[in-house]
Amino acid sequence: MGKRSVVPFGPQHPVLPEPIHLDLVLEDEKVLAAVPSIGYVHRGLESLVTKKDFQEMAYVAERICGICSFGHGMGYCMTIEDIMNVEVPRRADYLRTIWMEMSRLHSHLLWLGLLADGFGFESLFMQSWRIREGILDMFEESTGGRVIFSVNQIGGVKKDMSKEMLANFQKRFDEMEKEVRKLTRVFLDDYTVKSRLEGIGILTGEDAIRRGAAGPMARAAGIAVDMRKTGYAAYDDIDFEVITSDKFDSYGRCEVRIGEIFQSFDIIRQCIRKIPDTEINVAVKGNPPEGESIVRIEQPRGEAFYMSRTNGTKFLDRMRVRTPTFANLPALTQTLQGCQYADVPLLILTIDPCISCTER
């Protein structure tokens, strides 16, 4: 019988991008259980519906998180558009889809860099983030921001992309895709990388369903669930397949996210080719009627849930967001059971934790 102890992990730790706290029950170097504790950066953003009107809340929703900001703004706007029966112009749907996939690209590249940093591969970390900077440059050119974009509005989007800009972006994406392909071969083929990922953090499909896993965490367990397949924005006009893996481990989660990077390049390519020449927004007058709407979208980390309840005034009764990291915390505790203490940082990173999203 080994010696049991409880070791606190986080909220400040060199490998953690955000403050998550875990109490790890250890027997020698083996993790027997993990108890998560969240709440260190709670900001009460949902309660601002009593102080900010329904138009201003689009800006508040974006500030839930800096990495997932565009999707949060879009998800909130879609709930109000549903309540007010606003038909968003088709070009706005395509622009939203392009920006959403750009968000997925920069989020996954950021994650790849953090993963490389987690097992000490500094040059791989720098290369991942160097490529990601190109995505942020394109965000800045098309929206004016690199973190908070403020282009979503009730009824569409505020800014357009010209044919010349889209053609230029396409050329840059093509070059970037070649670079990413070289980079990701290291994650998928390098022996030292695979030795840190393969067979570590097993999550079967049955466990993923029972624990309510979302996004790449569920898809790496063989569960083909992706909210983009419900056809919101322009996804109903895009040809793509849900990327899954049968590895069930950390390597599988890496494999799924890398596959989604190349899938995002292809979706953006299809959007640029098919984007119609319409208006980018419609005028929205008056206050939303009394009602409630629920919207589910696929954020980079998985399914995000948005609920808005209106009362006929300019202020909402309620705005609720459930983010994929919150859904993936129970699955994380499952993968940690039985692992070695040295693998804990990597396993936390494989869910791509976004604690500011989770705590709001």
Side-chain angles (χ1 to χ4, degrees):
M1 178 74 70
K3 180 182 178 182
R4 290 196 178 187
S5 55
V6 177
V7 176
F9 188 94
Q12 301 300 325
H13 189 278
V15 80
L16 293 180
E18 295 191 54
I20 181 173
H21 176 81
L22 296 170
D23 284 323
L24 302 175
V25 180
L26 302 179
E27 186 175 276
D28 295 331
E29 290 292 310
K30 184 179 179 180
V31 178
L32 301 181
V35 181
S37 177
I38 60 176
Y40 288 90
V41 291
H42 179 66
R43 291 160 289 159
L45 295 182
E46 290 174 359
S47 68
L48 287 178
V49 294
T50 61
K51 297 180 175 64
K52 304 290 183 181
D53 65 44
F54 75 100
Q55 296 280 14
E56 293 174 318
M57 278 304 294
Y59 299 104
V60 174
E62 271 205 314
R63 284 158 174 79
I64 289 173
C65 172
I67 305 300
C68 323
S69 59
F70 182 84
H72 286 313
M74 183 176 79
Y76 167 76
C77 287
M78 287 170 65
T79 62
I80 304 300
E81 288 159 0
D82 181 44
I83 292 171
M84 299 183 75
N85 293 316
V86 173
E87 186 173 347
V88 175
R90 197 60 179 156
R91 187 175 182 86
D93 280 336
Y94 274 83
L95 290 170
R96 282 179 173 181
T97 303
I98 291 171
W99 280 318
M100 190 69 240
E101 291 308 309
M102 287 171 62
S103 294
R104 197 177 317 280
L105 282 171
H106 96 78
S107 178
H108 282 358
L109 286 168
L110 176 140
W111 176 82
L112 281 174
L114 292 174
L115 183 70
D117 186 54
F119 49 69
F121 210 145
E122 290 297 322
S123 60
L124 198 59
F125 158 68
M126 293 177 192
Q127 288 298 321
S128 298
W129 279 37
R130 179 186 62 80
I131 296 172
R132 174 177 172 264
E133 281 298 306
I135 303 290
L136 298 183
D137 289 341
M138 284 185 268
F139 261 125
E140 187 171 18
E141 290 173 37
S142 58
T143 69
R146 293 169 66 86
V147 177
I148 301 296
F149 312 118
S150 301
V151 288
N152 277 303
Q153 67 175 59
I154 313 298
V157 295
K158 294 182 178 180
K159 294 187 178 182
D160 200 354
M161 286 193 256
S162 66
K163 289 182 180 179
E164 293 76 20
M165 178 180 286
L166 289 171
N168 176 261
F169 280 10
Q170 181 59 74
K171 190 181 300 182
R172 289 156 70 176
F173 281 128
D174 290 343
E175 291 299 317
M176 189 179 294
E177 186 173 2
K178 294 175 186 176
E179 286 194 81
V180 174
R181 201 165 292 280
K182 293 177 184 176
L183 177 80
T184 53
R185 281 199 202 105
V186 182
F187 284 98
L188 298 178
D189 300 333
D190 186 83
Y191 170 78
T192 56
V193 174
K194 291 169 76 173
S195 68
R196 293 300 308 274
L197 300 178
E198 287 186 329
I200 307 297
I202 300 295
L203 183 73
T204 64
E206 182 182 340
D207 285 335
I209 292 172
R210 187 169 67 248
R211 299 274 180 158
M217 194 76 175
R219 292 192 284 274
I223 311 299
V225 57
D226 190 321
M227 288 300 105
R228 292 176 293 179
K229 279 296 185 181
T230 61
Y232 64 89
Y235 289 110
D236 57 344
D237 200 24
I238 301 298
D239 182 28
F240 70 99
E241 297 298 326
V242 179
I243 294 175
T244 60
S245 173
D246 58 1
K247 302 292 194 307
F248 308 138
D249 57 9
S250 298
Y251 183 84
R253 294 188 274 279
C254 184
E255 191 177 49
V256 166
R257 286 190 177 93
I258 287 173
E260 289 184 1
I261 289 174
F262 297 110
Q263 184 182 67
S264 291
F265 283 128
D266 184 60
I267 290 174
I268 292 171
R269 195 175 289 118
Q270 291 185 55
C271 286
I272 292 175
R273 187 171 67 248
K274 296 179 179 181
I275 190 167
D277 189 16
T278 68
E279 297 297 319
I280 61 171
N281 55 55
V282 293
V284 175
K285 298 180 180 179
N287 297 324
E290 187 174 341
E292 183 175 308
S293 177
I294 291 173
V295 164
R296 298 153 72 197
I297 73 170
E298 190 70 22
Q299 286 275 32
R301 292 160 176 82
E303 177 190 334
F305 170 103
Y306 302 86
M307 186 278 285
S308 294
R309 186 188 305 131
T310 55
N311 54 21
T313 72
K314 68 178 182 177
F315 297 105
L316 305 186
D317 268 348
R318 186 80 166 91
M319 191 270 278
R320 176 82 174 96
V321 180
R322 196 207 71 166
T323 62
T325 297
F326 183 79
N328 280 328
L329 284 174
L332 171 65
T333 61
Q334 172 75 34
T335 64
L336 288 171
Q337 290 178 15
C339 80
Q340 293 297 305
Y341 181 64
D343 290 323
V344 171
L346 276 182
L347 290 181
I348 292 175
L349 286 174
T350 60
I351 72 165
D352 195 4
C354 183
I355 304 304
S356 64
C357 278
T358 304
E359 301 181 5
R360 297 179 295 286

